[in-house]
Amino acid sequence: LRYANELRIPIVVHLGETRKGFETVRKNFRRTIVQLLNEYHFFSLKIQLVHHSLLEGDDADILMTSKVPVIISPQSAILKEVELPPVGDLLARGIPIAFGTDWGGLNPFLNIRAFVAMVRAQNKPIPRASELLAMCTRNPARALGFHDELGAIEAGKKADMTFVDVADTRSGLGLGSDNYANLLNTVLLESSSRDVSDVMINGNFFVRKGTVLTYSEEDLLADGNKLMAKLLDLGGEKNNSGPVERKGGSAPILDFESSPTEEEISESTVEGFKIIPKLNEGAETEKKIVPLRMDPPVPGEPPRTIKKVFGEDDV
């Protein structure tokens, strides 16, 4: 944490995408994920919250006070059938929202429309077109710490721009209108990636009149397919071979108030985490399961006496 803070590198927290994960943290710490992070002063650091599909208690108020950006992937959340983020509550409190891609959500127009559908389903006011555009441009740049270089058409910033062809009369974009807000709203809600005619990166055209200038489209498609096959392999979705079993099984959820027996550990099948003590230099390297000792929080840092291991992912 200290080095990330000194180097101004954002800390990414994958937060409460599923009810199961949310309940796992609450069961072990007796508080929500947001309350836990706030207790250990994480929000005083440069941090991003990804997904954050579940809010309870004073979570929304904590986020509003901290002004930490929340990165959500509306289209991906719908496709994966996970918990949908409470976008209405986030908007009502002015919490910064940025759109992410996650799995397969590369089309910003689909993200915008999925987000609008979520807001409508939660019976909340639809954001203005300029606010929806900011969730694809200015807000992500600020969340990533690049707002001094990217995210807006301003002097001194890189000329990264996408041009949309609105000449097709079938799109119903109402080109006769001189109302910029209405035109932008129609472009965002009616256009698709097929309407993108040109793409400029740092002042140079990489796509011109719908043609990729810097990459053979055949090679791009082939390399993209190889990359997707590799990602599916890593995600346990090998083609024609069925799901891949996770090595070692799920880590047990441990009761922090008493030491678990070896039998309890071996029989546990609920995915959670185990506590491994940090070893001093020169100490024996054998790892033993021990109950959690909650040290008083240090501003800006989590307890130094423990290392949490969530499933197969070290955090």
Side-chain angles (χ1 to χ4, degrees):
L1 290 178
R2 184 177 74 250
Y3 294 129
N5 199 30
E6 290 175 355
L7 297 174
R8 301 180 65 186
I9 299 173
I11 298 172
V12 180
V13 179
H14 194 285
L15 202 67
E17 185 180 22
T18 65
R19 172 64 64 177
K20 178 182 176 182
F22 182 85
E23 295 297 344
T24 295
V25 172
R26 184 162 60 178
K27 175 180 179 180
N28 285 283
F29 290 100
R30 295 146 125 138
R31 52 182 65 75
T32 67
I33 305 173
V34 170
Q35 292 166 351
L36 183 64
L37 293 177
N38 187 55
E39 181 176 341
Y40 288 102
H41 308 283
F42 266 71
F43 297 136
S44 64
L45 304 172
K46 189 172 184 58
I47 191 171
Q48 306 165 14
L49 305 182
V50 182
H51 295 306
H52 196 47
S53 302
L54 294 156
L55 287 175
E56 289 191 3
D58 60 350
D59 286 355
D61 293 328
I62 292 174
L63 294 179
M64 178 179 66
T65 302
S66 69
K67 302 186 185 303
V68 171
V70 176
I71 301 175
I72 63 175
S73 306
Q75 178 68 7
S76 178
I78 291 175
L79 292 176
K80 293 195 298 183
E81 299 182 357
V82 295
E83 298 285 341
L84 300 182
V87 292
D89 292 336
L90 300 177
L91 290 170
R93 288 171 170 79
I95 296 169
I97 296 175
F99 290 155
T101 56
D102 201 45
W103 274 91
L106 302 178
N107 190 328
F109 299 108
L110 291 181
N111 251 350
I112 290 172
R113 288 195 274 276
F115 181 82
V116 170
M118 288 181 186
V119 176
R120 284 176 175 158
Q122 296 175 23
N123 200 26
K124 302 292 183 179
I126 305 298
R128 298 191 302 272
S130 58
E131 294 173 322
L132 293 173
L133 180 61
M135 295 176 191
C136 301
T137 54
R138 186 177 63 243
N139 292 3
R142 182 167 294 279
L144 295 172
F146 293 123
H147 52 282
D148 292 334
E149 305 175 33
L150 310 169
I153 302 176
E154 297 175 354
K157 293 188 177 181
K158 293 181 179 180
D160 291 356
M161 292 182 283
T162 299
F163 299 82
V164 179
D165 184 359
V166 295
D168 190 341
T169 56
R170 291 171 297 178
S171 62
L173 293 176
L175 295 179
S177 172
D178 57 359
N179 187 313
Y180 169 77
N182 288 343
L183 179 58
L184 177 60
N185 187 69
T186 307
V187 168
L188 295 181
L189 297 182
E190 298 291 338
S191 297
S192 72
S193 58
R194 294 181 180 274
D195 297 314
V196 173
S197 60
D198 303 87
V199 176
M200 177 184 286
I201 302 175
N202 198 20
N204 298 311
F205 280 104
F206 281 66
V207 177
R208 197 79 167 115
K209 295 182 180 180
T211 301
V212 179
L213 303 179
T214 59
Y215 212 121
S216 163
E217 294 193 8
E218 292 79 7
D219 292 342
L220 182 62
L221 179 60
D223 290 347
N225 286 335
K226 288 179 182 178
L227 178 60
M228 182 54 66
K230 184 176 181 180
L231 290 173
L232 292 175
D233 186 8
L234 292 174
E237 300 180 24
K238 286 186 176 179
N239 293 332
N240 303 321
S241 60
V244 177
E245 292 185 6
R246 300 180 64 178
K247 295 181 180 180
S250 299
I253 292 180
L254 305 182
D255 183 356
F256 291 160
E257 297 179 354
S258 61
S259 298
T261 65
E262 292 295 332
E263 183 179 0
E264 289 173 335
I265 294 172
S266 62
E267 290 181 353
S268 176
T269 58
V270 182
E271 183 171 357
F273 54 87
K274 54 191 174 186
I275 302 303
I276 301 175
K278 272 193 172 182
L279 298 175
N280 297 325
E281 292 186 10
E284 72 175 288
T285 58
E286 182 183 357
K287 296 178 179 180
K288 296 180 180 179
I289 305 300
V290 298
L292 174 69
R293 185 173 78 248
M294 294 292 284
D295 291 345
V298 177
E301 296 187 10
R304 294 179 176 273
T305 56
I306 64 172
K307 175 184 178 184
K308 303 186 191 69
V309 181
F310 287 78
E312 295 179 347
D313 300 320
D314 258 358
V315 179

